[in-house]
Amino acid sequence: MKPWHKISVNLFSVLVLMAGLAAGLDAADRAYPPPLETAALVSSEVVDSDGQLLRAFATREGRWRLKTNLGDVDPRLVEMLVAYEDQRFFQHSGVDILAMGRAALQLVGNGRVVSGASTLSMQVARLIEPRPARSLSAKVLQLIRAIQIERRMSKQQILELYLTHAPYGGNLEGVRAASLAYFGKEPRRLTVAEAALLVALPQSPEARRPDRHAGAAETARDRVLSRPAVAAVTGHGEAERAAGEPVPRRRQQLPAHAAHVAEAAIRIQPGAPVHRTTLKMTVQRALEQVAREVAETLDPKVSLAMVMADASTGDIVAEVGSAGYFDASRSGWIDMTRVNRSPGSTLKPFIYGLALEQGLVSQETIIEDRPANFFGYRPKNFDMSYQGDVSVREALQLSLNVPAVRLLDAVGPSRLMVRLRRAEVHPVLPTHEAPGLAIGLGGVGMSLKDLVQAYAALANRGQPVRLGNGIEEQPGVIGGEPLFEPPAVWNVVDILSDVLPPQGSRRLGIAYKTGTSYGYRDAWSIGFDGQHVLGVWVGRPDNGAVPGISGYQTAAPILFDAFARSGVVPVALPNPPAGALRLSQSDLPMSQRRFSTSENGLISASRREPAPQIVYPPEGARVDLSMGEKGELMPLVLKLQGGRAPFRWLANGQPLEAVSRRRSSEWLPDGAGHATLTVIDADGHAASVRIFVE
């Protein structure tokens, strides 16, 4: 055989052997891949609307291991890590041959290990597949795994694995958990000293824990700072300045905000690594601080809850379910924002809204606050005293019970329930009972979230809004009819905005209402500006009585304190809509100057004529206006039966120009859309219809 032919055969054989070896290695690599799936096991996180960590949950092994991306970390820390641990990280493919040769020579020359040769890729292999003891076989496996990892992942992904899994003492893993525990902050902005400490700890995490071995931690940190490669990253003089900074000597608790929302998020999506909420960290933290401070002043069995929502979107921006989640004496694990309790007087604004919309009263209408009997139901005021004749404005501001029941009797309890359902609020009535007058004073069951949702419609200019639950429920404006017509909403808000704040609180430009349930079991306060609604409940989770509590004395100061410290930007209450005026008593039509009732609490029936009834247009009619000969819109004819003249007509709560003694009148609508027509006779009897003008 010729020499060149023999060389060709040998070369071919070598190539075949190498190809076979490569194929075998590739097959082995595929058959025994690195356990990257275990690297994906991280702590579950609950974050606010901006992605800030509200609460983390430990892994099944009890470790705090927070997923870390390069964008979560100060870039200088990453540069220092590479400079200290693996300077050729971006050049090698998992194994640094030069570093291994250097380490071997140092071992031979000194008889001991002087420096290691583990690359960051090899350290990642050890972290995701730990071995019980160090041995040659374990080291070889790390080397192989490092090469496998490099084949599957980018350098950036390998760095992120290290930053997520590096040990920091105890059950802390990853730089985010360590930064939060030792510095109380996310690692996005670290000092040079802080970054150097986080680089140093993983080499010997237990021996260098700063909360237990501060001296060892400081020495290790300074060793990192003194490395020339690290000094090139930090800059001239930074190492000396950083060396004078003390190391933290205690471990802080990781963020644990919004306990009830966080627990609910985990129940809803138990396997998700990140749970996003609509909460805002700054607001949530402020309200929780208020709750902690208030709890110290309350009886050990008394708790409180708060909900703040954005009335324009329905987003819950903060929620405090109890005075303390782990407070057993207060049953802190119970989320009191969702529990049905008696709302006390907090539904009164909605009664007044109906009466104002129907034209039964105006703000300065005189109404009686005297003992009354409504077929056996005898409401009494909270302080057991009576004011006599008061204006409607004063009656609501003073939260007088008898005037509210008089108006509820006039508008009808069922109609109040229908309006609340427009806001998708469903009060719970006693079993098999129809709505009665007692609902006006708290004779139904409602949750704090329900009340906040109802008041959100007032803050949102009458348009109902659905609150989310902070997690998966979609909030948003509820389509359909408004809760009340804009003039009625504005009048209610105008009255509530002028209620004096509780003693010791300053005015905040909010409208608010308080309530106390029967037997001193619940104290409520709900307030709002032009965008935000905050509700406060105080009471015992076991529904026991709390002598001395009240909405005004107990819950309202918490409301004002929480609103002031929440950090939300105040939004002015809405301006009056077109046609909404606060008329003086002398400027009111005669039929609205006094809300007349008889001794039994009903609108007086001592009249010859029956109550008026609108016969045209009928309830629910869709009216198409006709055009005149010159193309102008023709007014709509209004007709009624019964009642005693003179008659006052109102369209959407606004009086028409003149009082008429005739049983027909005319009205020219401003435009298309829903409209409420009301007629009031001389005795104060009223009738209303809802129509749609096309």
Side-chain angles (χ1 to χ4, degrees):
M1 181 181 296
K2 295 180 180 181
W4 65 267
H5 185 67
K6 185 176 181 180
I7 293 173
S8 299
V9 171
N10 291 337
L11 181 60
F12 178 76
S13 300
V14 170
L15 291 175
V16 170
L17 180 62
M18 291 178 64
L21 180 61
L25 291 174
D26 185 68
D29 176 63
R30 295 179 184 278
Y32 303 99
L36 294 178
E37 66 280 355
T38 62
L41 300 177
V42 295
S43 295
S44 293
E45 299 179 36
V46 180
V47 301
D48 78 346
S49 58
D50 297 321
Q52 295 188 72
L53 181 64
L54 288 167
R55 186 179 179 186
F57 290 83
T59 64
R60 287 181 302 226
E61 302 84 14
R63 299 189 176 277
W64 298 109
R65 183 189 301 140
L66 304 179
K67 178 73 173 70
T68 307
N69 299 315
L70 288 179
D72 300 326
V73 180
D74 190 324
R76 189 164 46 184
L77 182 147
V78 178
E79 294 173 1
M80 293 169 66
L81 172 66
V82 173
Y84 186 74
E85 289 286 347
D86 191 354
Q87 294 182 40
R88 285 179 288 276
F89 172 70
F90 291 101
Q91 285 77 49
H92 64 65
S93 298
V95 179
D96 189 344
I97 302 298
L98 294 176
M100 291 181 68
R102 183 200 66 233
L105 290 174
Q106 290 174 339
L107 176 61
V108 172
N110 295 276
R112 60 184 177 86
V113 175
V114 176
S115 64
S118 291
T119 63
L120 285 172
S121 303
M122 293 172 66
Q123 293 183 48
V124 166
R126 185 181 73 249
L127 292 173
I128 67 174
E129 193 177 17
R131 296 286 166 172
R134 292 190 174 186
S135 63
L136 180 61
S137 61
K139 202 69 176 178
V140 171
L141 179 61
Q142 284 178 28
L143 188 149
I144 295 172
R145 289 302 197 202
I147 296 172
Q148 290 181 301
I149 291 170
E150 290 271 355
R151 292 187 63 186
R152 289 167 169 79
M153 307 184 77
S154 68
K155 292 291 186 179
Q156 288 72 23
Q157 290 173 320
I158 294 171
L159 280 173
E160 289 177 346
L161 272 183
Y162 179 88
L163 295 172
T164 299
H165 290 266
Y168 281 92
N171 61 350
L172 295 177
E173 292 187 359
V175 296
R176 284 188 63 208
S179 183
L180 289 165
Y182 294 135
F183 309 133
K185 63 181 180 181
E186 292 277 359
R188 293 187 183 93
R189 292 182 178 86
L190 298 171
T191 66
V192 170
E194 290 168 345
L197 182 61
L198 294 181
V199 170
L201 293 183
Q203 282 72 51
S204 187
E206 291 302 326
R208 298 175 180 177
R209 283 181 59 171
D211 58 328
R212 294 186 179 179
H213 309 287
E218 185 172 350
T219 299
R221 179 200 66 186
D222 294 346
R223 187 181 300 119
V224 171
L225 291 170
S226 65
R227 183 73 62 85
V230 174
V233 172
T234 60
H236 179 70
E238 281 297 322
E240 291 76 11
R241 282 190 288 270
E245 188 175 318
V247 298
R249 294 178 177 269
R250 68 181 184 89
R251 173 174 162 174
Q252 303 180 39
Q253 182 182 3
L254 266 64
H257 301 293
H260 296 90
V261 173
E263 292 282 356
I266 294 296
R267 287 195 301 271
I268 293 169
Q269 294 179 305
V274 178
H275 304 264
R276 298 196 175 276
T277 71
T278 60
L279 306 182
K280 292 187 179 297
M281 169 68 87
T282 54
V283 183
Q284 181 68 33
R285 193 162 45 200
L287 265 59
E288 288 180 1
Q289 181 62 31
V290 171
R292 282 192 295 271
E293 294 173 6
V294 170
E296 295 177 357
T297 68
L298 298 174
D299 183 275
K301 294 185 178 180
V302 177
S303 190
L304 74 152
M306 289 183 274
V307 173
M308 178 175 268
D310 186 325
S312 63
T313 63
D315 288 338
I316 291 180
V317 297
E319 180 176 313
V320 180
S322 67
Y325 186 81
F326 297 103
D327 191 336
S329 66
R330 307 178 200 271
S331 301
W333 58 86
I334 300 176
D335 185 357
M336 295 306 299
T337 68
R338 303 294 195 270
V339 177
N340 285 328
R341 304 296 284 262
S342 167
S345 298
T346 56
L347 293 184
K348 286 178 182 175
F350 303 95
I351 299 172
Y352 282 78
L354 270 172
L356 287 161
E357 182 183 80
Q358 294 181 20
L360 299 180
V361 295
S362 291
Q363 288 197 41
E364 299 302 327
T365 299
I366 299 300
I367 191 168
E368 293 182 5
D369 178 38
R370 295 183 176 86
N373 180 3
F374 297 84
F375 295 104
Y377 178 54
R378 297 178 175 86
K380 298 179 177 60
N381 286 328
F382 182 76
D383 59 1
M384 304 302 292
S385 65
Y386 298 90
Q387 303 295 317
D389 284 355
V390 295
S391 69
V392 162
R393 182 182 180 84
E394 293 170 327
L396 178 53
Q397 290 179 340
L398 296 173
S399 196
L400 302 176
N401 287 345
V402 176
V405 174
R406 292 187 191 278
L407 292 177
L408 180 59
D409 185 54
V411 300
S414 295
R415 185 169 291 180
L416 173 63
M417 297 291 283
V418 168
R419 291 304 178 93
L420 291 174
R421 291 189 186 108
R422 284 187 187 178
E424 295 187 1
V425 172
H426 302 279
V428 179
L429 293 165
T431 307
H432 305 305
E433 286 191 18
L437 296 179
I439 68 174
L441 305 183
V444 292
M446 291 184 69
S447 69
L448 179 59
K449 183 189 173 186
D450 287 335
L451 281 173
V452 171
Q453 180 160 315
Y455 274 79
L458 297 179
N460 200 34
R461 297 164 175 76
Q463 188 61 49
V465 60
R466 180 187 306 107
L467 301 190
N469 65 350
I471 314 167
E472 91 289 0
E473 290 182 4
Q474 294 301 314
V477 174
I478 300 170
E481 296 180 292
L483 184 66
F484 303 119
E485 295 296 336
V489 173
W490 178 83
N491 275 283
V492 170
V493 173
D494 183 56
I495 294 172
L496 296 180
S497 66
D498 207 27
V499 178
L500 291 176
Q503 187 174 5
S505 300
R506 62 183 178 87
R507 286 186 177 271
L508 299 176
I510 64 173
Y512 82 106
K513 182 71 182 74
T514 62
T516 308
S517 68
Y518 178 77
Y520 300 95
R521 288 176 168 81
D522 309 276
W524 305 87
S525 188
I526 318 291
F528 56 93
D529 62 11
Q531 181 175 352
H532 310 97
V533 186
L534 175 60
V536 176
W537 168 88
V538 181
R540 286 179 53 159
D542 62 3
N543 204 28
V546 186
I549 70 166
S550 70
Y552 188 76
Q553 298 291 341
T554 309
I558 302 173
L559 173 80
F560 274 74
D561 189 24
F563 227 120
R565 294 166 58 180
S566 66
V568 300
V569 178
V571 178
L573 291 165
N575 294 321
L581 299 174
R582 180 180 164 190
L583 300 176
S584 65
Q585 218 271 340
S586 60
D587 291 332
L588 293 175
M590 290 299 297
S591 58
Q592 283 193 338
R593 292 186 179 181
R594 185 178 189 89
F595 185 75
S596 178
T597 58
S598 66
E599 292 184 358
N600 66 0
L602 299 173
I603 296 178
S604 176
S606 57
R607 56 176 66 87
R608 296 180 182 178
E609 295 287 348
Q613 179 181 0
I614 299 174
V615 294
Y616 188 83
E619 173 68 29
R622 300 183 71 89
V623 180
D624 189 2
L625 296 180
S626 58
M627 305 291 289
E629 294 180 357
K630 298 180 179 180
E632 75 278 11
L633 286 175
M634 300 298 292
L636 178 66
V637 177
L638 312 177
K639 297 181 180 180
L640 66 89
Q641 292 179 348
R644 187 163 68 89
F647 304 103
R648 163 70 73 178
W649 285 89
L650 300 97
N652 297 324
Q654 299 304 307
L656 301 188
E657 289 186 1
V659 175
S660 173
R661 305 191 66 85
R662 301 177 58 187
R663 298 185 186 277
S664 63
S665 188
E666 292 182 342
W667 169 57
L668 184 61
D670 293 334
H674 289 284
T676 299
L677 298 173
T678 302
V679 64
I680 307 171
D681 73 356
D683 294 317
H685 248 177
S688 297
V689 294
R690 292 269 298 174
I691 65 172
F692 187 85
V693 179
E694 297 181 322

